[in-house]
Amino acid sequence: MVDDFKKHIDKLIKRKLKDKKYEFDYSSWLITLVEQEMEAIHPQSEFHWELFEVLSFDVLYKQSFKSLCDSGHPVARESLEKLGINDSEINLIINSVESVDNLFIEYCELFKDELLNKDNSLNEVHKKITELSLDCSQGTIISHSPKMTNPSCKYPRLNITASNSPDGFVRSGNSPVDFDMHINATKLKVFKFLSLKINGISLLELINDKNINVISSVFLANERLVNDWVLNFNSGLNEQDLRTHFAIKQIYFPVEKDYHQLSILSPSGLVFSLKNKIDHINDRSKEAYLGKKARKENQYVISGFSTIVNLTVTRHGGDHPKNISGLNNKYQSYYLLSSSPPAIKTRDLHFPRTDFFVQTVNYFQCKHAFHQLHTLYSRDDNNMHIRAERDEYYQSVVDHIIEKMWQVRSVALEQYIPTASQLSTAQKTWLCQQDEGKVLRETADDWLDEIIQSVSTFVFHGYEKILGKKAIKLGYAEHKHMQQIVIKNKEALR
């Protein structure tokens, strides 16, 4: 891509020098080219034409050198670096390119054939505009294209304008979009001409407002000629056809004793505006370029970049998109966003809503330890080895609770919902991962005393629940001993 720009520049220079071989200074030539004063968008000299050929060259797919400079894309700088131009001169060139009016490039592209007639190019352009104004009677400005439903639909032809409102809907009026046009495929230059923007205002709006002075000054035409153009355009632009078509999807709904019919049409301006924004995010923005380049080189990008995935690319009109509408011919295709239903994520662990010792841990998870404790309690002898083995089983139950505690904490940020939680204050401090809770957990002990009491109670009653009627009645002293075992794990429970 960057190499292609250099080849393009070399080709222009070679043509300019007419095969004379001597050293050429890219920098001074480009600076002189982009800094030249332009009194009108109509090319006045060969120098203007060279400027057009440099600025309109597509360095990236559908991104000209001019658009890359306007967006601050790094490829514009890389292209100039490839020509051996230093940083200060690059900045000067890019700043000068940004000041060039896009209208100049669009004008040269639209009237390229007429401008090739160097002797009388302005008259040729005026003749072409007159021809376009007459061809305009074959077209209609629309906002919703029926041919996007079926290419055979020639109507309805509607140009709907809606007010902007912060209602959260993606609908006509809530997003600035380009107008669309139904017209014979061979007359699409009418759409391109009306789409030209002068100081951000489309030519269509200027014609509707009959702004003769602005149009006259831009196209270097006398007011009488411009007035004829405006009359011709206005006679064919605003005709609408409200009929529906059998191929349009229809919805009937009852209204009192009758039915109301709704014809479903695609808002082509919104459809292609969405495509334009997605292309910018996925491919044309400098963030996407730098991010993909870093990913290819296995490097980390601090700023990151976004990508919209699972897009379905579709198009209207097959090999003849011109037959659908002006915007369809301009963008050629559009995207369908993924509309698959949300997937249900299986949870292996649930954050407790009311009580950790009821909803997260249960006695049966520790039944082996309780059965082994029953075996020890049933023995007639009682020595230090038996007591040590007993304490190990108590510790195994406590370890199980600590392990569950960490598992619950790992899902706390994702699953804990403050408004739905009925946990005690102590258990919230113990399990939740919010910053304020973590600070309290590390600095206070009141809540921890309640947790220690709950753990020792779990061990004490767990034995009785698992063994049932076979359980040996344990006394207060044994419960106190269990509590001492739990207290030894105080910091592990924190």
Side-chain angles (χ1 to χ4, degrees):
M1 50 188 180
V2 176
D3 292 333
D4 290 341
F5 182 72
K6 184 175 185 305
K7 289 177 184 176
H8 178 69
I9 297 295
D10 287 339
K11 188 177 175 182
L12 290 178
I13 292 172
K14 185 177 180 181
R15 189 179 67 194
K16 181 181 180 68
L17 299 179
K18 297 178 181 175
D19 296 332
K20 295 176 183 175
K21 295 184 178 178
Y22 53 85
E23 287 192 6
F24 192 87
D25 186 356
Y26 291 109
S27 174
S28 59
W29 177 67
L30 275 173
I31 290 173
T32 308
L33 197 63
V34 298
E35 283 192 329
Q36 62 184 303
E37 294 291 334
M38 295 184 63
E39 296 180 356
I41 59 171
H42 186 82
Q44 304 289 329
S45 66
E46 184 65 27
F47 221 44
H48 287 153
W49 195 251
E50 289 175 359
L51 176 63
F52 163 69
E53 292 192 83
V54 170
L55 299 188
S56 64
F57 179 76
D58 281 346
V59 184
L60 296 177
Y61 178 67
K62 289 191 175 180
Q63 291 189 88
S64 65
F65 181 67
K66 163 68 174 162
S67 65
L68 292 174
C69 290
D70 288 347
S71 63
H73 203 289
V75 168
R77 179 172 290 276
E78 291 174 13
S79 301
L80 296 173
E81 287 173 348
K82 191 74 177 177
L83 297 174
I85 302 174
N86 62 47
D87 280 348
S88 60
E89 291 171 334
I90 287 175
N91 292 333
L92 180 61
I93 292 171
I94 289 177
N95 290 336
S96 299
V97 169
E98 288 174 2
S99 65
V100 176
D101 193 341
N102 276 313
L103 181 62
F104 165 70
I105 300 172
E106 293 169 357
Y107 175 87
C108 291
E109 286 176 340
L110 182 60
F111 297 109
K112 200 169 185 177
D113 295 338
E114 289 72 23
L115 295 174
L116 289 175
N117 185 346
K118 299 186 188 307
D119 295 332
N120 206 358
S121 60
L122 187 58
N123 279 342
E124 291 299 320
V125 170
H126 289 170
K127 286 180 184 176
K128 186 63 182 179
I129 296 176
T130 303
E131 185 183 327
L132 294 176
S133 69
L134 296 172
D135 290 342
C136 184
S137 60
Q138 300 181 36
T140 307
I141 299 296
I142 57 171
S143 59
H144 295 66
S145 174
K147 290 194 173 188
M148 291 178 73
T149 303
N150 190 314
S152 65
C153 298
K154 295 183 179 178
Y155 46 84
R157 297 186 176 191
L158 303 171
N159 185 24
I160 303 299
T161 56
S163 58
N164 180 286
S165 175
D167 52 19
F169 293 110
V170 180
R171 61 166 178 81
S172 299
N174 270 5
S175 178
V177 297
D178 295 329
F179 65 87
D180 202 354
M181 189 173 195
H182 263 186
I183 195 167
N184 188 299
T186 60
K187 309 295 183 186
L188 272 173
K189 270 198 171 182
V190 176
F191 171 75
K192 294 177 181 176
F193 177 73
L194 294 173
S195 299
L196 292 177
K197 288 190 176 179
I198 302 170
N199 297 326
I201 302 172
S202 71
L203 202 54
L204 174 65
E205 293 176 74
L206 292 173
I207 290 172
N208 281 333
D209 295 340
K210 296 183 179 177
N211 202 329
I212 307 293
N213 292 335
V214 174
I215 300 173
S216 174
S217 62
V218 169
F219 294 100
L220 305 177
N222 62 58
E223 292 190 0
R224 182 180 173 187
L225 179 59
V226 173
N227 195 49
D228 290 342
W229 293 345
V230 170
L231 289 175
N232 290 339
F233 276 116
N234 275 327
S235 65
L237 276 179
N238 300 315
E239 293 183 1
Q240 297 195 30
D241 193 330
L242 303 182
R243 291 174 294 172
T244 189
H245 192 276
F246 71 92
I248 298 288
K249 294 181 178 67
Q250 313 286 352
I251 292 178
Y252 291 86
F253 57 91
V255 177
E256 296 179 351
K257 295 181 180 180
D258 205 350
Y259 283 89
H260 192 108
Q261 178 186 322
L262 185 66
S263 299
I264 307 299
L265 299 173
S266 297
S268 48
L270 281 177
V271 169
F272 292 113
S273 174
L274 176 66
K275 179 181 190 292
N276 202 30
K277 289 178 180 177
I278 291 175
D279 282 342
H280 178 78
I281 293 171
N282 282 359
D283 300 310
R284 296 178 186 170
S285 65
K286 60 181 179 182
E287 291 81 8
Y289 172 77
L290 293 173
K292 290 181 179 180
K293 185 178 179 182
R295 185 172 61 186
K296 189 176 180 181
E297 296 171 355
N298 200 24
Q299 293 180 348
Y300 177 69
V301 180
I302 297 175
S303 59
F305 70 103
S306 302
T307 301
I308 299 174
V309 298
N310 295 330
L311 298 171
T312 300
V313 182
T314 185
R315 60 179 66 235
H316 292 299
D319 295 333
H320 304 285
K322 293 179 179 180
N323 293 332
I324 303 301
S325 72
L327 281 180
N328 191 67
N329 179 61
K330 180 179 178 181
Y331 290 98
Q332 301 283 315
S333 64
Y334 63 99
Y335 298 130
L336 299 178
L337 298 174
S338 175
S339 58
S340 55
I344 298 176
K345 184 180 178 181
T346 304
R347 290 178 175 177
D348 298 325
L349 185 70
H350 293 269
F351 192 88
R353 197 168 66 87
T354 56
D355 190 347
F356 172 86
F357 295 97
V358 174
Q359 296 178 310
T360 304
V361 291
N362 63 65
Y363 305 127
F364 287 94
Q365 293 168 348
C366 307
K367 66 178 182 179
H368 174 73
F370 291 131
H371 279 291
Q372 294 301 317
L373 282 170
H374 180 66
T375 302
L376 293 176
Y377 294 153
S378 302
R379 293 182 63 162
D380 296 330
D381 52 343
N382 183 2
N383 54 44
M384 60 179 291
H385 300 293
I386 291 174
R387 289 195 296 273
E389 191 175 355
R390 177 201 60 185
D391 291 348
E392 287 179 7
Y393 286 121
Y394 288 158
Q395 181 63 46
S396 70
V397 177
V398 176
D399 288 344
H400 174 76
I401 291 173
I402 292 173
E403 182 183 347
K404 285 291 181 184
M405 172 199 78
W406 282 111
Q407 291 178 358
V408 168
R409 284 182 181 177
S410 68
V411 299
L413 288 176
E414 182 183 351
Q415 296 185 19
Y416 172 64
I417 303 173
T419 54
S421 177
Q422 297 178 19
L423 286 175
S424 65
T425 305
Q427 289 197 23
K428 285 180 183 176
T429 306
W430 186 39
L431 300 172
C432 294
Q433 292 292 75
Q434 277 68 20
D435 292 340
E436 55 185 25
K438 288 169 76 174
V439 171
L440 182 62
R441 193 159 66 212
E442 297 296 330
T443 55
D445 282 345
D446 294 348
W447 65 272
L448 192 53
D449 294 338
E450 185 178 328
I451 298 300
I452 288 171
Q453 181 63 37
S454 298
V455 173
S456 56
T457 302
F458 179 87
V459 179
F460 187 80
H461 290 302
Y463 165 72
E464 293 182 346
K465 288 287 182 183
I466 292 298
L467 274 298
K469 293 181 180 178
K470 296 180 183 177
I472 297 171
K473 204 68 176 176
L474 301 176
Y476 175 75
E478 192 63 22
H479 185 275
K480 196 72 177 174
H481 180 70
M482 290 176 184
Q483 193 169 4
Q484 291 302 317
I485 298 290
V486 178
I487 289 173
K488 290 180 181 177
N489 293 273
K490 184 175 181 179
E491 292 307 313
L493 286 165
R494 186 183 294 277

Coordinates of all heavy atoms in Angstrom, one line a residue, residues 78-116:
E78 N 3.4 7.3 7.0 CA 4.3 6.3 6.5 C 4.5 6.4 5.0 O 5.6 6.1 4.5 CB 3.7 4.9 6.8 CG 3.7 4.6 8.3 CD 2.9 3.3 8.6 OE1 2.6 2.5 7.6 OE2 2.6 3.0 9.7
S79 N 3.5 6.8 4.3 CA 3.6 7.0 2.8 C 4.6 8.1 2.5 O 5.4 7.9 1.5 CB 2.3 7.4 2.2 OG 1.3 6.4 2.5
L80 N 4.6 9.2 3.3 CA 5.5 10.3 3.0 C 7.0 9.9 3.5 O 7.9 10.3 2.8 CB 5.0 11.5 3.7 CG 3.7 12.1 3.2 CD1 3.2 13.2 4.0 CD2 3.9 12.5 1.7
E81 N 7.0 9.1 4.6 CA 8.4 8.7 5.0 C 9.0 7.8 4.0 O 10.2 7.8 3.8 CB 8.2 7.9 6.3 CG 7.9 8.8 7.5 CD 7.6 8.0 8.8 OE1 7.4 6.8 8.7 OE2 7.5 8.7 9.9
K82 N 8.2 7.0 3.3 CA 8.7 6.1 2.2 C 9.4 7.0 1.1 O 10.3 6.5 0.4 CB 7.6 5.3 1.6 CG 8.0 4.2 0.7 CD 8.6 3.1 1.5 CE 9.0 1.9 0.6 NZ 9.6 0.8 1.4
L83 N 9.0 8.2 0.9 CA 9.6 9.1 -0.1 C 10.8 9.8 0.4 O 11.4 10.6 -0.3 CB 8.5 10.1 -0.5 CG 7.3 9.6 -1.2 CD1 6.2 10.7 -1.4 CD2 7.6 8.9 -2.5
G84 N 11.2 9.5 1.7 CA 12.4 10.1 2.2 C 12.2 11.5 2.7 O 13.2 12.3 2.8
I85 N 11.0 11.9 3.1 CA 10.7 13.2 3.6 C 10.8 13.3 5.1 O 10.4 12.4 5.8 CB 9.2 13.7 3.1 CG1 9.1 13.6 1.6 CG2 8.9 15.0 3.6 CD1 7.8 13.8 1.1
N86 N 11.4 14.3 5.6 CA 11.6 14.4 7.1 C 10.4 14.8 7.8 O 9.4 15.2 7.2 CB 12.8 15.3 7.4 CG 12.5 16.8 7.0 OD1 11.5 17.3 7.3 ND2 13.5 17.4 6.3
D87 N 10.4 14.7 9.2 CA 9.2 14.9 10.0 C 8.6 16.3 9.8 O 7.4 16.4 9.7 CB 9.6 14.6 11.5 CG 9.6 13.2 11.8 OD1 9.2 12.4 10.9 OD2 10.1 12.8 12.9
S88 N 9.4 17.3 9.9 CA 8.8 18.7 9.9 C 8.1 18.9 8.5 O 7.1 19.6 8.4 CB 9.9 19.7 10.1 OG 10.9 19.6 9.1
E89 N 8.7 18.4 7.4 CA 8.1 18.6 6.1 C 6.9 17.7 6.0 O 5.9 18.1 5.3 CB 9.1 18.2 5.0 CG 10.3 19.2 4.9 CD 11.4 18.7 4.0 OE1 11.6 17.5 3.9 OE2 12.1 19.5 3.5
I90 N 6.9 16.5 6.6 CA 5.7 15.7 6.6 C 4.5 16.4 7.3 O 3.4 16.5 6.8 CB 6.0 14.4 7.3 CG1 6.8 13.5 6.4 CG2 4.7 13.6 7.6 CD1 7.3 12.2 7.0
N91 N 4.8 17.0 8.5 CA 3.7 17.8 9.2 C 3.2 18.9 8.3 O 2.0 19.2 8.3 CB 4.3 18.3 10.5 CG 4.6 17.2 11.5 OD1 4.0 16.1 11.4 ND2 5.5 17.4 12.3
L92 N 4.1 19.6 7.6 CA 3.7 20.7 6.8 C 2.8 20.2 5.6 O 1.8 20.8 5.3 CB 5.0 21.4 6.2 CG 4.7 22.6 5.3 CD1 4.0 23.7 6.0 CD2 6.0 23.1 4.7
I93 N 3.2 19.1 5.0 CA 2.4 18.6 3.9 C 1.0 18.1 4.4 O 0.0 18.4 3.8 CB 3.1 17.4 3.2 CG1 4.4 17.9 2.5 CG2 2.2 16.6 2.3 CD1 5.3 16.8 2.0
I94 N 1.0 17.4 5.5 CA -0.3 16.8 6.0 C -1.2 18.0 6.4 O -2.4 18.0 6.1 CB -0.1 15.9 7.2 CG1 0.6 14.6 6.7 CG2 -1.4 15.6 7.9 CD1 0.9 13.6 7.8
N95 N -0.7 19.0 7.1 CA -1.5 20.2 7.4 C -2.1 20.9 6.2 O -3.2 21.3 6.2 CB -0.7 21.2 8.3 CG -0.4 20.6 9.7 OD1 -1.1 19.7 10.1 ND2 0.7 21.1 10.3
S96 N -1.3 21.0 5.2 CA -1.7 21.6 3.9 C -2.8 20.8 3.2 O -3.8 21.4 2.7 CB -0.5 21.9 3.0 OG 0.4 22.7 3.6
V97 N -2.6 19.5 3.2 CA -3.6 18.6 2.6 C -4.9 18.7 3.3 O -6.0 18.7 2.7 CB -3.1 17.1 2.6 CG1 -4.2 16.2 2.2 CG2 -1.9 17.0 1.6
E98 N -4.9 18.8 4.7 CA -6.1 18.9 5.4 C -6.9 20.1 5.1 O -8.2 20.2 5.2 CB -5.8 18.9 6.9 CG -5.4 17.6 7.5 CD -4.9 17.6 8.9 OE1 -5.0 18.7 9.5 OE2 -4.5 16.6 9.4
S99 N -6.2 21.2 4.7 CA -6.9 22.4 4.4 C -7.5 22.4 3.0 O -8.3 23.4 2.6 CB -6.0 23.6 4.5 OG -4.9 23.5 3.5
V100 N -7.2 21.4 2.1 CA -7.8 21.4 0.8 C -9.3 20.9 0.9 O -9.6 20.0 1.6 CB -7.0 20.4 -0.1 CG1 -7.7 20.3 -1.5 CG2 -5.6 20.9 -0.2
D101 N -10.2 21.6 0.2 CA -11.6 21.3 0.3 C -11.9 20.0 -0.5 O -11.4 19.8 -1.6 CB -12.4 22.4 -0.4 CG -13.9 22.3 -0.1 OD1 -14.3 21.2 0.3 OD2 -14.6 23.3 -0.3
N102 N -12.6 19.1 0.2 CA -13.0 17.8 -0.4 C -13.8 18.0 -1.7 O -13.8 17.1 -2.6 CB -13.8 16.9 0.6 CG -12.9 16.2 1.5 OD1 -11.9 15.5 1.1 ND2 -13.2 16.2 2.8
L103 N -14.5 19.1 -1.8 CA -15.3 19.4 -2.9 C -14.4 19.4 -4.2 O -14.9 19.0 -5.3 CB -16.0 20.7 -2.7 CG -16.9 21.2 -3.9 CD1 -18.1 20.2 -4.1 CD2 -17.5 22.6 -3.6
F104 N -13.2 19.9 -4.1 CA -12.3 19.9 -5.2 C -12.1 18.5 -5.8 O -12.1 18.3 -7.0 CB -11.0 20.6 -4.8 CG -9.8 20.3 -5.8 CD1 -9.8 21.0 -7.0 CD2 -8.8 19.5 -5.5 CE1 -8.8 20.8 -7.9 CE2 -7.8 19.3 -6.4 CZ -7.8 19.9 -7.6
I105 N -11.8 17.5 -4.9 CA -11.6 16.2 -5.4 C -12.9 15.6 -6.0 O -12.8 14.9 -7.0 CB -11.1 15.3 -4.2 CG1 -9.8 15.9 -3.7 CG2 -10.8 13.9 -4.7 CD1 -9.2 15.3 -2.4
E106 N -14.0 15.7 -5.3 CA -15.3 15.2 -5.8 C -15.7 15.8 -7.1 O -16.2 15.1 -8.0 CB -16.3 15.4 -4.7 CG -16.1 14.6 -3.4 CD -17.0 15.1 -2.3 OE1 -17.8 16.0 -2.5 OE2 -16.9 14.5 -1.2
Y107 N -15.4 17.1 -7.2 CA -15.7 17.8 -8.5 C -14.9 17.2 -9.7 O -15.4 16.9 -10.7 CB -15.4 19.3 -8.3 CG -15.6 20.1 -9.6 CD1 -16.9 20.7 -9.9 CD2 -14.5 20.4 -10.4 CE1 -17.0 21.5 -11.0 CE2 -14.6 21.2 -11.5 CZ -15.9 21.7 -11.8 OH -16.0 22.5 -12.9
C108 N -13.6 17.0 -9.4 CA -12.7 16.5 -10.5 C -13.1 15.1 -10.8 O -13.0 14.7 -12.0 CB -11.2 16.6 -10.0 SG -10.6 18.2 -9.8
E109 N -13.4 14.3 -9.8 CA -13.8 12.9 -10.1 C -15.1 12.8 -10.9 O -15.3 12.0 -11.9 CB -14.0 12.1 -8.8 CG -12.7 11.8 -8.1 CD -12.9 11.1 -6.8 OE1 -14.0 11.2 -6.2 OE2 -11.9 10.5 -6.3
L110 N -16.1 13.7 -10.6 CA -17.4 13.7 -11.2 C -17.3 14.2 -12.7 O -17.9 13.6 -13.6 CB -18.4 14.5 -10.4 CG -19.8 14.6 -10.9 CD1 -20.4 13.2 -11.0 CD2 -20.6 15.5 -10.0
F111 N -16.5 15.2 -12.9 CA -16.4 15.8 -14.2 C -15.1 15.5 -14.9 O -14.5 16.3 -15.7 CB -16.7 17.3 -14.1 CG -18.0 17.7 -13.6 CD1 -18.2 18.2 -12.4 CD2 -19.1 17.4 -14.4 CE1 -19.4 18.6 -11.9 CE2 -20.4 17.8 -13.9 CZ -20.5 18.3 -12.7
K112 N -14.5 14.3 -14.6 CA -13.2 14.0 -15.2 C -13.2 14.0 -16.7 O -12.3 14.5 -17.3 CB -12.8 12.6 -14.6 CG -11.4 12.3 -14.7 CD -11.1 11.0 -13.9 CE -9.6 10.7 -13.9 NZ -9.3 9.5 -13.1
D113 N -14.2 13.4 -17.3 CA -14.3 13.4 -18.8 C -14.3 14.8 -19.4 O -13.6 15.1 -20.4 CB -15.5 12.6 -19.2 CG -15.4 11.1 -18.8 OD1 -14.3 10.7 -18.6 OD2 -16.5 10.5 -18.7
E114 N -15.1 15.6 -18.8 CA -15.2 17.0 -19.3 C -13.9 17.8 -19.1 O -13.6 18.6 -19.9 CB -16.4 17.7 -18.6 CG -17.8 17.3 -19.0 CD -18.1 15.9 -18.4 OE1 -17.5 15.5 -17.4 OE2 -19.0 15.2 -19.0
L115 N -13.3 17.6 -17.9 CA -12.1 18.3 -17.6 C -10.9 17.9 -18.5 O -9.9 18.7 -18.7 CB -11.6 18.1 -16.2 CG -12.6 18.7 -15.1 CD1 -12.2 18.3 -13.7 CD2 -12.7 20.2 -15.2
L116 N -11.0 16.8 -19.2 CA -9.9 16.3 -20.1 C -9.9 17.2 -21.3 O -8.9 17.3 -22.0 CB -10.1 14.9 -20.5 CG -9.8 13.9 -19.3 CD1 -10.1 12.5 -19.8 CD2 -8.4 14.0 -18.9

